[in-house]
Amino acid sequence: MRPGQVLFTYLHLAADLDLTRELLGGGATCIAYETVTSPNGTLPLLTPMSEVAGRLAPQAGAHHLERAQGGRGVLLGGVPGVPAAEVVILGGGVSGTHATTIALGMGANVTVVDRSAEALRRIAAQFGSQVRTIFSTRDAIRQIVKRADLLIGALLVPGAAAPKLVTRDMVQTMKSGAVVVDIAIDQGGYFETSHPTTHSSPTYVVDGVVHYCVANMPAAVSRTSTFALNNVTLPFAISLADKGWRKALAEDPHLRAGLNIDEGQITCRPVAEAHGLPYAPAESS
Amino acid sequence: MRPGQVLFTYLHLAADLDLTRELLGGGATCIAYETVTSPNGTLPLLTPMSEVAGRLAPQAGAHHLERAQGGRGVLLGGVPGVPAAEVVILGGGVSGTHATTIALGMGANVTVVDRSAEALRRIAAQFGSQVRTIFSTRDAIRQIVKRADLLIGALLVPGAAAPKLVTRDMVQTMKSGAVVVDIAIDQGGYFETSHPTTHSSPTYVVDGVVHYCVANMPAAVSRTSTFALNNVTLPFAISLADKGWRKALAEDPHLRAGLNIDEGQITCRPVAEAHGLPYAPAESS
Amino acid sequence: MRPGQVLFTYLHLAADLDLTRELLGGGATCIAYETVTSPNGTLPLLTPMSEVAGRLAPQAGAHHLERAQGGRGVLLGGVPGVPAAEVVILGGGVSGTHATTIALGMGANVTVVDRSAEALRRIAAQFGSQVRTIFSTRDAIRQIVKRADLLIGALLVPGAAAPKLVTRDMVQTMKSGAVVVDIAIDQGGYFETSHPTTHSSPTYVVDGVVHYCVANMPAAVSRTSTFALNNVTLPFAISLADKGWRKALAEDPHLRAGLNIDEGQITCRPVAEAHGLPYAPAESS
Amino acid sequence: MRPGQVLFTYLHLAADLDLTRELLGGGATCIAYETVTSPNGTLPLLTPMSEVAGRLAPQAGAHHLERAQGGRGVLLGGVPGVPAAEVVILGGGVSGTHATTIALGMGANVTVVDRSAEALRRIAAQFGSQVRTIFSTRDAIRQIVKRADLLIGALLVPGAAAPKLVTRDMVQTMKSGAVVVDIAIDQGGYFETSHPTTHSSPTYVVDGVVHYCVANMPAAVSRTSTFALNNVTLPFAISLADKGWRKALAEDPHLRAGLNIDEGQITCRPVAEAHGLPYAPAESS
Amino acid sequence: MRPGQVLFTYLHLAADLDLTRELLGGGATCIAYETVTSPNGTLPLLTPMSEVAGRLAPQAGAHHLERAQGGRGVLLGGVPGVPAAEVVILGGGVSGTHATTIALGMGANVTVVDRSAEALRRIAAQFGSQVRTIFSTRDAIRQIVKRADLLIGALLVPGAAAPKLVTRDMVQTMKSGAVVVDIAIDQGGYFETSHPTTHSSPTYVVDGVVHYCVANMPAAVSRTSTFALNNVTLPFAISLADKGWRKALAEDPHLRAGLNIDEGQITCRPVAEAHGLPYAPAESS
Amino acid sequence: MRPGQVLFTYLHLAADLDLTRELLGGGATCIAYETVTSPNGTLPLLTPMSEVAGRLAPQAGAHHLERAQGGRGVLLGGVPGVPAAEVVILGGGVSGTHATTIALGMGANVTVVDRSAEALRRIAAQFGSQVRTIFSTRDAIRQIVKRADLLIGALLVPGAAAPKLVTRDMVQTMKSGAVVVDIAIDQGGYFETSHPTTHSSPTYVVDGVVHYCVANMPAAVSRTSTFALNNVTLPFAISLADKGWRKALAEDPHLRAGLNIDEGQITCRPVAEAHGLPYAPAESS
């Protein structure tokens, strides 16, 4: 990167000191997708990837439940006369809602666990009595994990490491050939037993349970993901191109929230704190 | 009854020797609703009562699951964050399908058990993945009964005593305060522990399980039941009135199948056999 | 109660001078579920009981429409060829929405009446054309009440006496054997003809109309209600236990809104005003 | 037509003596779509037109309910807070089922009236509690007609003149600006007040009620109708072309049922009887 | 109008200098429905008309797709074996959502185009996978317009002229006999080829495409529209009548936002600006 | 196998001369699942496998559309703002119906192609306007194949080689990275380009199109498949065990239809004809 250049992409600098240093040295203006905000307090450039990952999770889980992939050999939706698989989804936010949509669509018995009563009500209103909603307590998770054929960790806590909701001893109580899909692996993962895998070697087995913990899940459907991302980044990109980045940032506080590095200075507090480097607030005009 | 009179109503003579003798002596022409047939082999004047009873069963079950009625104090549909009750319906025919409709509508987790793969497929096609279908084996029934908050016996085998699918030792494994509804009680009942009750005193408790075994359930909603019955009997009644019973019977083999007693003779073989009395086939012209 | 004790439960002190005096004298710290607030302005510890009561209302109504309970003898959902019952729900808020869910599920023809266009739109978006929505005017209520088989008063106005939307002369126009369920009876009830009843003797008849006005309806399904309540109170209870009540209240303005009595002083203005007693605002730190 | 030619199309000869004579004289082989049969006893080449007409009926009705078309000025589905229109559909067969699909989809309150309990059960199973089903009696029709904003006559009785289910005095009880759509007008129509109209002048008013009685309704959507018809006639056309008509007719009794005129002789009994002309059965080989 | 009179209705003064002058001269107090606001920033007295227009659009489109109206002769929902029509809806706001409801209900293949990711998510959550959602770009519109049988412009931008999203050369690529419905015609219309028409002569043809651009569409269903409007204006009218207009305006900032002319002065900035007349802010007390 | 032994399993002898000879020599009684019949003319022991394979097909297709599996990188259901994939299902029978259920549930745009108008009507009645139904002609297939992201051959013609509906030149017109799933591969396959693959190496690429043609697909979910198969074979197995095979066969013509080899003689005509060996009809008593 050279001074005067503008970088507008996913950066995740808090987790990458080398990249941070390189960008600081290059003098470029670095706007990170993942910290751009919206009027209602969400991170709108992360939402499409949460949607894609949520929808992929049951598909990945169903595939790895097949016998040849090491799974229990159960069909998510069963057939008439043979019960459907039990799918447990931890988290009823964006990813969890989309995972629920697809898991129900594939015919599974779906249970959503969340500690927010509001989230459970939203799930219940959208899906009706088709989906079981359970308030999240450590004990409730322990009970439900045992019964799961497919367990999806779908709670994304923006900017924070994912909590280890499912411990190793819980995994040991799961059925042999059950599958866990950890879509928070980029944040460290939900499961004590999780570690990142790749699209070319997506799973490993712990205590008889197949773990699917692929980093950057949305790349599996790159065509869909690219369009989804473009839809939300395009207006910002046009603003940057039309007005010049300085004016675009000055006029839009939500885009400005995405500014991580500006003229060799870190303008995003969490990034500065993560690396113990100095922080300089972005100017608003 | 006097000679020349025509009786067209429910009779159930096979179970009532006194009534049979009285009607034989009176000389009346007795056409029983319950043995009239239809072109597709069903008993069309029984169907509405099966529909009503099926729809009433979850309503009765939900009421008796209330604490003040001796039940477990669970709400059929739960609320967001609290799981719904488990409703198990034995039988996927007319009554079972209607019981499923209402139980699902009240938000319960519904499992239908039947030994006919065709019945389970029909249930699955009509209700989709909302309902669990399980092939009926003794072992499957034993397992599922344990988990039920509400267990509905909904299998009507026309003209036969209901099989005792649920034994006393199965009932003993049920949760305390669970409810069973036995809609086949008029045929003897499904449960070893069943005996008929009345609308004014509808339940009793065995091994902690509330038993609702009301004979003639449809009388609870007499207004609805009367209209439902009239809809199906009216065309036959009009035919009897317009043509005279002899011509009406002669022209319609399905109505003729309803003829149980004619001029002092039993014209319905099962009735004759039940009482060891002589049988005379109805003339077709 | 003794000084130093913390009471965290439903209190409803504005309606109970004796209890208020006793608690003031005892010196306890009294936090009332019903006045705890949430960031979006609702009363989150009341919501689960509104949900439970709303879902129970059609179940109670259906039961009391049975002939043996004094009702008209109609089945909520009818059967094919016989029309469903007309269910009218006054109020499209939390209770009304849940009552709608269950009444539709039982197959009834459902009309929701509300004076908020927003509430009617939310109902229409959630249930589609299955439910009829009517803007609430005195005349509209008068017309619709006449046609109802089951009339549910489901409008909870937090902290206020329920408006008498349905007058005695309107009740006189209702069908004989129709049922009214007044879920606002704890607030005085919707109907001029309402007075509180109990789970053991739930109904009385006025002008041929069965009145179900059970106080504390959710107790009917105590198991479900307890879990539902625990889900929402637990985080506050943990906070109180972990931090001590003083710190917990100081840090959380929503919990603090629940503080009704503190060291012998009334800290909730409506309670003070209801009894003409002095009011002392809760300290925020 | 000349001898040796084969005519394979709609003919409706029973209603057209001139055409019958002309075809008899020409010596052609005339196979009428409307009398070809299927293994399950239906008239398969009529079904697509019944589907199209059924789906068009609510669309035509909704349009003519508009003020500028003389209607009451009501929107079929209402909007939140304003009730939907009442649509009454006489007949729950093919046309009635498709009319129900579209009327429900447009948000109307739909009532289906039929005298077949089986038909009402099929409607209830397909559409659930969204649609009201009523058993057809003269009295029921009289009551329901009064309340209808849109009344659709949708009962096709193959080969017979439509029964006049709705009399002039019933029409007089309808609301001013209500609309009737008579899709059986090609068979003489359901309503005493019906007479055929055209696509260019589709309606007339009797007693304040807009009558839409367009003959050959499916021509309104000729593109859709043509494809629908081709789908079902194509296999027969291919058989005629591949095998020659004589062999094709000999081998397929269902196609043979379509043969109305063969070598100057009427081979369809109802056509012969309608015109008092001699009848010669088609040879089967 | 005379001084002292209060006018409370739709006015649209920015577009009508003559009316503005007349009202200024008359001395009346003029409150315009269209500028009354709500707490959540919407224009609540416009919403019902957006709902009605949205629901009418597919109905109008379906009618004009009929052959006799100049359309392609396709049925919106097709029939089994013949594909449904392609309906493209530009705008996923109030009108677009209601248009989607009805178009789906009529069986069409529906695509909604919007430039707001939030709007598309709301559509997707409400309708599920039944509806296709596409992010709005000039290129996406160009591609989708070609495939449409029915194209509905449903984006209302309050107070602003509608953007010309569909250009003349795009219209030229449409199928012959396709229909466009422009519900923004009161704001100038979406289509370069749009100009206002009337209920008595609703369409004209450009490049083979039928244009339905009726001004004041909701008048077609005046009965429904009147009730819908009364529901939302009534509370304000009661307030004006009960309190007197001055007090009512003083106490309610949302009603006050509706004040356009007060004692000969323009109190609505956009109206003043539109006509280059002086602006005097409404007093708040 | 030894004389006196009874073999009751899948045999597929017509395709396996060696096995046929071995069984003939051994003298065993061989009853083949795949030729057992039912009263309604279906092959009931094949149905469960058709259900499983149909449900697996979209799951397999979705997986292989992932980039790492060589697919186009599209998500079956898209996300809001990004269109879903186009899934084309050839055949609307048992497998096709189940494939449709799952593909719709995963959010795809689904088109079902069949040459039976009845099958298309059944699909349309079950799934409503969510699914597009197209009458099968060579031209229609050619057009639709081009647009498919996922093409599923789901037409099982019992006992016959599958027709090659999709030719190599059609495959060449497909999008690069599209996926075909051929569930009729055990019958030779639908596609000219199909040849059997295995669960461990399930795909190959022809003309840029990923081919998934795994023989014995249901083995992927062996647990589900085993239960499904047991449900339907159990009653026959019990009958064989209880009565002895000779009596069981004598009494049940449907089980008898499964008898392929009896005391060294081929009793199933197609097997005999396939191998040019003598045929001896099974005795009926």
Side-chain angles (χ1 to χ4, degrees), chain A residues 145-183:
Chain A
V145 155
K146 279 189 230 172
R147 291 170 40 200
D149 293 292
L150 170 58
L151 175 63
I152 297 173
L155 187 65
L156 291 180
V157 183
K164 301 294 182 196
L165 290 176
V166 180
T167 58
R168 173 175 285 268
D169 67 300
M170 289 186 195
V171 170
Q172 284 169 344
T173 68
M174 293 182 72
K175 302 175 195 166
S176 179
V179 173
V180 300
V181 172
D182 190 339
I183 76 174

Side-chain angles (χ1 to χ4, degrees), chain C residues 115 117-118 120-121 124-125 135 137, chain E residues 44 47-48 51 126 231-232 234-235:
Chain C
R115 52 187 299 181
E118 271 317 300
L120 296 178
R121 279 184 199 119
F135 190 76
T137 63
Chain E
T47 303
E51 292 173 334
Q126 184 169 347
N231 285 351
V232 289
L234 192 65

Side-chain angles (χ1 to χ4, degrees), chain D residues 36-45 47 254, chain F residues 116-119 121-122:
Chain D
V36 172
T37 56
S38 80
N40 57 16
T42 63
L43 301 171
L45 306 196
T47 302
H254 297 297
Chain F
S116 153
E118 272 317 302
R121 279 183 199 122
R122 213 178 41 237

Side-chain angles (χ1 to χ4, degrees), chain E:
Chain E
M1 299 301 299
R2 294 190 316 274
Q5 279 193 317
V6 176
L7 203 61
F8 181 49
T9 186
Y10 288 118
L11 289 171
H12 295 291
L13 296 182
D16 192 338
L17 180 55
D18 289 350
L19 178 58
T20 305
R21 283 202 171 127
E22 185 182 342
L23 293 173
L24 280 171
T29 298
C30 303
I31 308 169
Y33 283 178
E34 70 271 18
T35 64
V36 172
T37 56
S38 79
N40 57 15
T42 62
L43 301 172
L45 306 196
L46 281 183
T47 303
M49 295 305 99
S50 296
E51 292 173 334
V52 170
R55 289 183 166 230
L56 269 172
Q59 173 173 321
H63 177 70
H64 292 286
L65 278 167
E66 294 180 11
R67 203 51 117 183
Q69 317 306 322
R72 301 190 73 218
V74 298
L75 185 59
L76 228 54
V79 287
V82 182
E86 295 288 336
V87 174
V88 175
I89 298 173
L90 302 174
V94 173
S95 288
T97 301
H98 283 268
T100 300
T101 300
I102 300 304
L104 284 175
M106 297 179 82
N109 289 321
V110 179
T111 304
V112 175
V113 183
D114 202 297
R115 53 186 298 182
S116 154
E118 270 317 301
L120 296 178
R121 278 183 200 122
R122 214 178 40 239
I123 293 280
Q126 184 169 347
F127 299 105
S129 64
Q130 284 189 284
V131 67
R132 211 173 309 191
T133 53
I134 293 191
F135 189 75
S136 176
T137 62
R138 181 155 289 261
D139 189 54
I141 292 176
R142 185 175 295 278
Q143 293 307 315
I144 198 84
V145 156
K146 278 190 231 175
R147 291 170 40 199
D149 294 290
L150 170 57
L151 176 62
I152 296 173
L155 187 65
L156 290 181
V157 183
K164 301 293 182 196
L165 289 178
V166 179
T167 58
R168 174 174 283 270
D169 68 301
M170 288 185 197
V171 171
Q172 285 170 345
T173 66
M174 292 181 72
K175 301 175 195 167
S176 179
V179 173
V180 300
V181 173
D182 190 340
I183 76 174
I185 193 67
D186 298 321
Q187 296 173 284
Y190 276 111
F191 303 86
E192 252 185 26
T193 49
S194 295
H195 61 73
T197 59
T198 64
H199 284 290
S200 56
S201 178
T203 61
Y204 59 93
V205 176
V206 175
D207 291 325
V209 175
V210 179
H211 284 58
Y212 177 96
C213 308
V214 171
N216 190 13
M217 280 177 70
V221 287
S222 50
R223 191 177 168 84
T224 298
S225 297
T226 301
F227 281 111
L229 191 55
N230 284 354
N231 285 351
V232 289
T233 58
L234 192 65
F236 293 108
I238 288 175
S239 170
L240 287 167
D242 283 0
K243 304 180 178 172
W245 67 269
R246 196 157 295 276
K247 184 144 179 283
L249 287 168
E251 288 179 10
D252 182 346
H254 297 298
L255 179 55
R256 200 161 64 236
L259 188 66
N260 278 14
I261 291 179
D262 185 15
E263 300 192 342
Q265 299 214 282
I266 300 179
T267 55
C268 174
R269 187 188 295 271
V271 172
E273 289 178 350
H275 302 312
L277 292 171
Y279 162 66
E283 297 168 36
S284 63
S285 65

Side-chain angles (χ1 to χ4, degrees), chain D residues 35 257-261 265-273 279-280:
Chain D
T35 64
L259 189 68
N260 279 15
I261 291 179
Q265 298 215 286
I266 299 180
T267 55
C268 173
R269 188 188 294 270
V271 172
E273 290 177 351
Y279 162 67

Side-chain angles (χ1 to χ4, degrees), chain B residues 40 44 47-48 51 126 230-232 234-235, chain D residues 115 117-118 120-121 124-126 134-135 137:
Chain B
N40 57 17
T47 303
E51 293 173 334
Q126 184 169 344
N230 284 353
N231 286 350
V232 291
L234 191 64
Chain D
R115 55 187 298 182
E118 271 318 300
L120 295 178
R121 278 184 200 121
Q126 183 168 348
I134 292 190
F135 190 75
T137 63

Side-chain angles (χ1 to χ4, degrees), chain A residues 115 117-118 120-121 124-126 134-137, chain C residues 40 42 44 47-48 51 126 230-232 234-235:
Chain A
R115 54 187 298 179
E118 272 316 302
L120 295 178
R121 281 185 198 119
Q126 183 169 347
I134 293 192
F135 189 76
S136 177
T137 62
Chain C
N40 58 17
T42 61
T47 303
E51 293 173 335
Q126 183 169 346
N230 283 354
N231 286 350
V232 290
L234 191 65

